[in-house]
Amino acid sequence: MTTAYTVLQHLQDGRFYSGEELASSLNISRASIWKAIESLRKQGLEVHAVTGKGYRLSRPVECLDLDAIYSYMGAESSHYNIEVHQSLDSTNSYLLEQAKNGAENGSVCLAELQTAGRGRRGRQWISPIATNIYMSYLWRTQMAPAAVACGSLICALTVTQALNALGVEGIGVKWPNDVIVQQRKLAGILLEMTGEAYAEQAVVIGIGVNLAMPDEAASAIDQPWIDLSSLTEQKLSRNQIVAKILLQLRANLEQFEREGMQAYLETWNKMDQYAGQEVELHFPQQVITGKVQGIDQYGSLLLQTSEGVKAYQSGEVSLRMSS
Ligand code: BTN
């Protein structure tokens, strides 16, 4: 663990801590504390320094805490094997490697920051320290690869349901696997498989949730986004959100394996932020327009077009601007 992260763990509640106090509890010099503070600032955290009072975070954070996550999960925690990392290139890349080395179903990897977080369509996923959620879950399944692809829709539903259960309102899904609010992305899902063609698929489900994006990191995001802190005044525990998503995810994946996508069609339509709306479906060479009619049992998007209702397996959806 780096000194900067240890200092951050001490500062997380947003109260003032003097350099002297920090130096003596960490058993390092005050110069090292100062260096650690500089490093946290470089990573985008705002740390106030006031003479006579010490250092304090301008916005408190909640560091990831394995014990807290397991305790929010209660008895169900035994189904998971969770690792918390301070820094990884990408939790998905890490768990894909672990999967190749035989990691079990229900293995989970979380990181306080990602240096090369990955989004869909080759995008970057901006992953500053200690403020958002970057998590991957290993799902070993015997479902066929085509069915597994629907799993990404289930994951977007999962995040929405978990946040709803914690009292967050006004959020919904956007086909195929975004969690959005007013056309701005709150969470994204990236499903990847190990690529080995056995009867069992090892699927890594990557989930990124924006909780409190620092301004500097925000300036690097190249799509409309939103974070939880601008949606609700409620102070939600980061570790509790992680636990809730993981519990909901396992329950949903089990139901999906038993009953297929059919079991989720109604829930999807209720949570679809674009239900009944005129949209554009973008392909590299073409744009299709139509009205959203929900999804089918294969997770395809149903659009009412001038040629009737058609099902689409790919493409990027955006709301159609009225002319
Ligand atoms: C998207 O583009 O909408 C998908 C974003 C997925 C981001 C998450 S963060 C945890 C996991 N690790 C990654 O590198 N990506 C996913």
Side-chain angles (χ1 to χ4, degrees):
M1 195 174 290
T2 63
T3 309
Y5 187 66
T6 315
V7 169
L8 178 62
Q9 285 180 317
H10 277 72
L11 293 179
Q12 57 180 313
D13 61 9
R15 298 212 314 256
F16 274 109
Y17 292 86
S18 72
E20 205 176 335
E21 205 177 343
L22 290 169
S24 96
S25 59
L26 297 179
N27 205 14
I28 53 175
S29 67
R30 287 181 65 177
S32 305
I33 296 292
W34 183 82
K35 261 203 215 154
I37 298 288
E38 281 308 295
S39 154
L40 293 174
R41 286 179 173 146
K42 279 201 190 110
Q43 292 180 65
L45 291 173
E46 200 180 337
V47 189
H48 293 158
V50 175
T51 318
K53 286 185 159 179
Y55 300 106
R56 125 186 211 280
L57 288 175
S58 68
R59 274 214 279 200
V61 298
E62 183 184 320
C63 290
L64 293 172
D65 178 340
L66 198 54
D67 292 338
I69 297 171
Y70 278 131
S71 105
Y72 278 120
M73 291 177 131
E76 291 288 302
S77 64
S78 61
H79 298 292
Y80 304 79
N81 180 13
I82 307 176
E83 286 184 15
V84 171
H85 294 256
Q86 193 192 317
S87 168
L88 285 176
D89 54 351
S90 149
T91 56
N92 263 33
S93 307
Y94 177 84
L95 201 54
L96 278 166
E97 273 312 303
Q98 299 296 105
K100 284 181 199 153
N101 295 329
E104 283 173 277
N105 182 50
S107 297
V108 176
C109 156
L110 284 139
E112 286 287 13
L113 76 94
Q114 296 185 118
T115 53
R118 293 186 283 111
R120 289 168 59 226
R121 301 174 188 279
R123 281 192 169 119
Q124 254 189 302
W125 188 259
I126 303 297
S127 311
I129 188 168
T131 46
N132 301 319
I133 292 173
Y134 322 114
M135 155 164 91
S136 299
Y137 176 92
L138 178 58
W139 175 37
R140 290 196 181 272
T141 179
Q142 296 190 347
M143 288 183 104
V148 165
C150 284
S152 68
L153 280 76
I154 303 288
C155 297
L157 277 183
T158 296
V159 174
T160 310
Q161 289 170 321
L163 292 174
N164 280 164
L166 292 171
V168 180
E169 288 167 2
I171 60 177
V173 291
K174 174 188 160 193
W175 186 87
N177 55 15
D178 289 342
V179 178
I180 62 164
V181 183
Q182 296 143 14
Q183 299 180 58
R184 295 192 284 164
K185 186 142 141 177
L186 178 68
I189 313 290
L190 179 68
L191 242 71
E192 296 180 294
M193 297 191 213
T194 52
E196 290 154 21
Y198 299 123
E200 183 190 80
Q201 312 287 328
V203 187
V204 169
I205 297 171
I207 301 175
V209 190
N210 297 329
L211 297 189
M213 189 69 79
D215 293 343
E216 205 182 307
S219 61
I221 304 179
D222 62 357
Q223 56 186 324
W225 65 275
I226 191 162
D227 60 14
L228 209 57
S229 68
S230 42
L231 255 184
T232 169
E233 299 276 290
Q234 210 188 329
K235 287 275 159 281
L236 290 171
S237 154
R238 190 165 167 241
N239 291 297
Q240 187 180 12
I241 297 173
V242 166
K244 196 84 193 162
I245 293 175
L246 287 172
L247 291 175
Q248 187 76 49
L249 185 60
R250 185 169 167 277
N252 281 353
L253 291 174
E254 280 186 4
Q255 187 180 6
F256 176 52
E257 284 181 321
R258 278 194 316 270
E259 300 169 30
M261 198 63 204
Q262 199 70 38
Y264 288 93
L265 297 187
E266 207 181 311
T267 315
W268 177 275
N269 289 337
K270 266 196 214 137
M271 293 189 167
D272 185 357
Q273 293 251 319
Y274 287 4
Q277 306 251 39
E278 290 287 343
V279 297
E280 293 181 344
L281 185 62
H282 294 255
F283 296 94
Q285 309 292 341
Q286 200 190 3
V287 178
I288 310 267
T289 58
K291 197 184 221 181
V292 175
Q293 302 291 304
I295 54 170
D296 66 14
Q297 73 270 34
Y298 308 109
S300 305
L301 177 69
L302 297 175
L303 285 188
Q304 173 76 56
T305 69
S306 52
E307 292 159 18
V309 177
K310 296 202 156 187
Y312 297 91
Q313 288 79 41
S314 61
E316 191 146 21
V317 182
S318 63
L319 268 192
R320 195 169 170 201
M321 294 300 150
S322 48
S323 50

